[in-house]
Amino acid sequence: MTDQVTVLFFAALREQIGQESLSVVIPSGGVPVTTLRHQIEGASPAIAQALADQPKLRVAINKTLATFDQMVRPGDEVAFFPPMTGG
């Protein structure tokens, strides 16, 4: 297994960034979601702007809602998305 995670972008984030996913190399011991977010923000101005435009950004790790202090491990799938609304 490589020390990569797959990062997915949904809804308005995907539209603003212009891509739905990317692979990111992380340390083998993992990193908190906040660290991963800073890493991907540094990869592209479009990603940095899209994430900054979402003050209530949500995150899921392996399809389970997570917090920004939870650890991401190599092989994980991390999804960023704006808050959902429903009726």
Side-chain angles (χ1 to χ4, degrees):
M1 173 171 32
T2 65
D3 294 337
Q4 291 188 357
V5 295
T6 300
V7 178
L8 304 173
F9 303 106
F10 288 97
L13 287 176
R14 178 173 43 205
E15 293 170 19
Q16 190 173 356
I17 293 167
Q19 68 186 77
E20 62 184 49
S21 68
L22 63 108
S23 291
V24 179
V25 175
I26 64 169
S28 60
V31 294
V33 172
T34 299
T35 301
L36 177 65
R37 176 184 174 163
H38 292 309
Q39 184 176 345
I40 64 173
E41 285 174 334
S44 159
I47 293 172
Q49 186 62 52
L51 296 180
D53 287 349
Q54 294 291 332
K56 295 183 180 180
L57 190 65
R58 303 294 307 266
V59 65
I61 301 172
N62 299 323
K63 300 180 182 172
T64 301
L65 284 177
T67 63
F68 281 83
D69 60 346
Q70 282 184 252
M71 292 296 288
V72 177
R73 309 257 183 240
D76 283 348
E77 178 183 84
V78 180
F80 290 99
F81 52 96
M84 302 301 217
T85 60

